[in-house]
Amino acid sequence: MSHISEGADIRNPIAAGARLGLAEPSLASVGDYIALMKPRVMSLVVFTALVGLAVAPGSLHPVTGFTALLCIAVGAGAAGALNMWYDADIDAVMTRTARRPVPMGRVQPGEALAFGLTLASFAVVVLGLLVNVLAAALLAFTIFFYVAVYTMWLKRSTPQNIVIGGAAGAFPPMIGWAAVTGSLSLEPVLLFMIIFFWTPPHFWALALYRTEDYARAGIPMLPVVAGDASTRRHILLYTLILVPIGIAPWPLGFAGALYGITAIVSGTIMLALACQVLRERRPAERASRHLFAFSILYLFLLFAVLLVERGWGGLLARWAA
Amino acid sequence: MSLGIAMNEQLKDDGIVLTEAQKRARRSRSIAIALSLAALVVLFYAMTLVKGPMLLIRPM
């Protein structure tokens, strides 16, 4: 050992401890652990689960409803933490994700893994004990699907990663519905399908102007593997499937006229934007950015109107009962 | 005795000495864990009041 490093060891016993194989005490803040839970994704999960819970028939005490949403939120956070644990290597080379706690070294991978597993266990067990077993089973499957099927397998191996993996993000309304009814039916499956078919155009629009980022990380996103033109055609194809599914709750009697009008108008805008993306050529990325931004508003609008039209009255009646 | 060996002896005696930043981070994490556990206690208490004996009967 050189004299310089000996001097450094005296001034910094932590570094010396690390050199001796002792665990270095963590500098992670509470904020870092919150960041591990992907709070923005969590908020969308909670919102769609709330809609599933609110439109479901039957009664549910508000405390039970709150518990169900809390467990779904924590379960989503657990999945996010486990995703960041596994994906730390590719997060470090992507501009969008390089500042996450694990690649930045503020949270050790083992800490993220332990945090995610603990939260996942708590969320599933508490949902099963306090609400019902079907909702807990669906939550457990969702976490498994997102972490094992999407993160560990599909994301690095196929351009269909976000198509199949998108199912994980589509489950929350089904869990909300199951929390109230203890069963499943066509209506929550329809909500599932709306999110499932919304996911590809949403993420491919993002991938179109982040292609270099994904390529550098070695993720086989569709624009990286199949190229721009193919991705643009796929976006239009999936939007063509999404729009009628988005409208379907109205003719099927699950939603009213306000929902129908909202779904038709916002669906038409989605289609128009998808057509613009089809015509756009690099280096222009304006249409892709517009589609990405509007797709978030589209999904929010559909579920918000459904909540107002179907769920809000139901929620108030349940709370008053 | 070299400085390295002296350092090893010091670590064996005192363990790892935390910096002020590490102490603050540990304290904030400890408070967050305490609050989470307290919230869990309140949640289970509230659910017991809401469901009563039905808490043990869980529909599929």
Side-chain angles (χ1 to χ4, degrees):
Chain A
M1 184 184 284
S2 75
H3 290 291
I4 292 171
S5 64
E6 282 168 354
D9 280 355
I10 287 172
R11 286 190 300 276
N12 187 357
I14 305 299
R19 261 190 284 281
L20 290 171
L22 301 174
E24 185 171 342
S26 176
L27 262 173
S29 67
V30 175
D32 289 325
Y33 281 94
I34 292 172
L36 275 183
M37 296 170 76
K38 298 190 177 179
R40 284 167 66 184
V41 175
M42 227 164 80
S43 62
L44 187 65
V45 165
V46 169
F47 176 63
T48 55
L50 170 69
V51 175
L53 191 139
V55 301
S59 63
L60 190 71
H61 193 281
V63 177
T64 313
F66 170 78
T67 305
L69 287 178
L70 183 69
C71 290
I72 294 167
V74 172
L82 292 170
N83 169 275
M84 285 202 204
W85 157 70
Y86 193 81
D87 274 351
D89 56 338
I90 53 180
D91 281 351
V93 293
M94 288 182 66
T95 316
R96 189 171 66 89
T97 54
R99 297 193 62 79
R100 284 178 173 174
V102 180
M104 286 291 284
R106 293 195 303 272
V107 174
Q108 297 303 309
E111 292 172 330
L113 173 65
F115 183 62
L117 289 176
T118 306
L119 289 189
S121 308
F122 263 90
V124 171
V125 169
V126 171
L127 191 63
L129 285 175
L130 299 186
V131 183
N132 68 52
V133 177
L134 177 64
L138 280 172
L139 181 63
F141 181 73
T142 305
I143 297 169
F144 166 79
F145 196 89
Y146 183 70
V147 177
V149 177
Y150 170 69
T151 304
M152 294 180 176
W153 175 31
L154 298 172
K155 187 173 179 179
R156 297 168 192 244
S157 60
T158 167
Q160 297 300 313
N161 47 17
I162 51 114
V163 178
I164 308 164
F171 274 114
M174 290 179 86
I175 304 172
W177 180 285
V180 179
T181 63
S183 64
L184 291 173
S185 64
L186 177 62
E187 198 171 347
V189 172
L190 206 52
L191 297 179
F192 170 93
M193 286 175 70
I194 291 172
I195 303 177
F196 183 77
F197 283 102
W198 166 87
T199 306
H202 171 74
F203 277 106
W204 283 334
L206 171 75
L208 274 177
Y209 60 89
R210 296 275 190 195
T211 309
E212 289 79 12
D213 232 12
Y214 285 112
R216 195 165 53 244
I219 303 174
M221 289 296 278
L222 197 59
V224 177
V225 176
D228 256 30
S230 173
T231 306
R232 292 170 198 277
R233 282 196 300 274
H234 275 81
I235 285 175
L236 182 61
L237 176 69
Y238 274 85
T239 309
L240 281 168
I241 300 171
L242 167 68
V243 172
I245 292 174
I247 299 167
W250 179 38
L252 289 173
F254 299 143
L258 179 63
Y259 176 88
I261 293 165
T262 308
I264 290 169
V265 172
S266 57
T268 307
I269 298 172
M270 274 290 286
L271 265 177
L273 289 172
C275 289
Q276 282 182 15
V277 169
L278 184 70
R279 286 193 298 270
E280 191 176 55
R281 288 290 174 267
R282 280 175 173 273
E285 55 189 43
R286 190 182 162 93
S288 308
R289 286 181 183 274
H290 282 169
L291 179 63
F292 176 73
F294 184 78
S295 64
I296 298 169
L297 180 65
Y298 172 77
L299 191 69
F300 173 77
L301 272 176
L302 291 193
F303 277 76
V305 172
L306 207 54
L307 181 65
V308 170
E309 211 177 48
R310 284 278 315 280
W312 199 243
L315 272 182
L316 291 178
R318 273 177 217 155
W319 290 5
Chain B
M1 186 186 288
S2 77
L3 279 174
I5 295 168
M7 190 64 225
N8 289 355
E9 291 302 319
Q10 186 192 336
L11 281 168
K12 277 177 192 164
D13 292 342
D14 303 335
I16 292 174
V17 181
L18 298 184
T19 63
E20 281 307 309
Q22 284 164 336
K23 282 180 185 171
R24 277 197 304 276
R26 184 177 67 176
R27 181 178 163 75
S28 68
R29 291 197 302 268
S30 300
I31 290 171
I33 292 169
L35 290 175
S36 304
L37 290 174
L40 207 57
V41 170
V42 171
L43 184 71
F44 272 80
Y45 182 67
M47 283 300 292
T48 308
L49 288 181
V50 167
K51 289 202 161 186
M54 289 296 287
L55 189 63
L56 296 174
I57 304 166
R58 295 185 299 278
M60 279 296 287

